[in-house]
Amino acid sequence: MPVDSWTLAKLLDGKLDRGNEKNELGVLHSIIRSKGFIWLASHAQSALYWSHAGAHFALNPLGLWWAATPKENWPDAGDLSNPEVVKIAKEFDKDGKWGDRRQELVFIGVDMVEEEIAALFDACLLNDEEMQQFEELMKDKPNSANVRGNSQSPSGLQVEFRE
């Protein structure tokens, strides 16, 4: 599920109102370093690289998610005999409709409380109503690539490209 950019901005500014007494900034201050990839609803086709160390924070475009990448831009045009293509294909949610889009963050810190950090970031995800609206908007932007299981393939996978 993608992150809502406005809610994420409020979290980073310490202004996320979750209706409780917890101090969001206090929870965030236990994190010394964080990095990874995020899926932002307002940039649904692009993977964004999250990098934070101390007071430094950056969110930079990394490129298209593989699911949004046309066949001609895949290594060996998506040929599964290429080990790099197999590695990419394994990152896909084979049962879902969003391909390799995901939230993948790693946190390093002191006295971190995993449940509190997870709750803060979960509060930034689209809610059910927002997700329905997002899915409606994305109907006109189908994936360029989808990965399915295929027992006949040596990799156990099949990459399907939209023409």
Side-chain angles (χ1 to χ4, degrees):
M1 184 171 293
V3 170
D4 176 67
S5 58
W6 176 247
T7 307
L8 182 63
K10 289 193 299 187
L11 168 68
L12 297 175
D13 285 341
K15 298 175 183 169
L16 182 64
D17 180 13
R18 296 185 305 143
N20 61 22
E21 299 300 316
K22 275 285 180 199
N23 177 348
E24 284 87 6
L25 284 178
V27 173
L28 293 176
H29 282 292
S30 69
I31 303 168
I32 297 169
R33 171 110 172 86
S34 60
K35 66 178 185 172
F37 308 95
I38 68 165
W39 174 23
L40 203 58
S42 59
H43 294 80
Q45 305 292 44
S46 299
L48 298 173
Y49 181 68
W50 170 292
S51 176
H52 151 251
H56 171 77
F57 175 76
L59 190 59
N60 296 311
L62 192 60
L64 295 176
W65 290 104
W66 285 108
T69 301
K71 180 179 183 176
E72 59 269 13
N73 294 339
W74 276 59
D76 285 340
D79 183 348
L80 282 166
S81 64
N82 180 325
E84 186 177 356
V85 173
V86 172
K87 183 179 175 185
I88 292 166
K90 286 181 177 179
E91 294 291 329
F92 275 62
D93 177 1
K94 282 112 194 121
D95 299 320
K97 55 182 155 187
W98 303 112
D100 60 326
R101 295 175 182 94
R102 63 191 180 279
Q103 314 300 340
E104 188 172 307
L105 294 173
V106 175
F107 299 96
I108 301 166
V110 177
D111 297 327
M112 295 186 308
V113 180
E114 182 179 343
E115 295 80 19
E116 291 178 357
I117 293 169
L120 278 178
F121 283 87
D122 285 350
C124 296
L125 298 173
L126 298 182
N127 62 36
D128 291 341
E129 182 181 329
E130 292 166 333
M131 189 63 187
Q132 286 180 331
Q133 293 170 356
F134 176 78
E135 287 177 347
E136 188 64 33
L137 288 171
M138 292 299 290
K139 280 184 181 177
D140 295 335
K141 300 172 187 159
N143 287 345
S144 295
N146 289 299
V147 175
R148 304 284 179 248
N150 180 348
S151 60
Q152 306 300 317
S153 168
S155 66
L157 302 168
Q158 177 180 343
V159 181
E160 301 164 349
F161 290 96
R162 182 173 50 92
E163 297 299 324

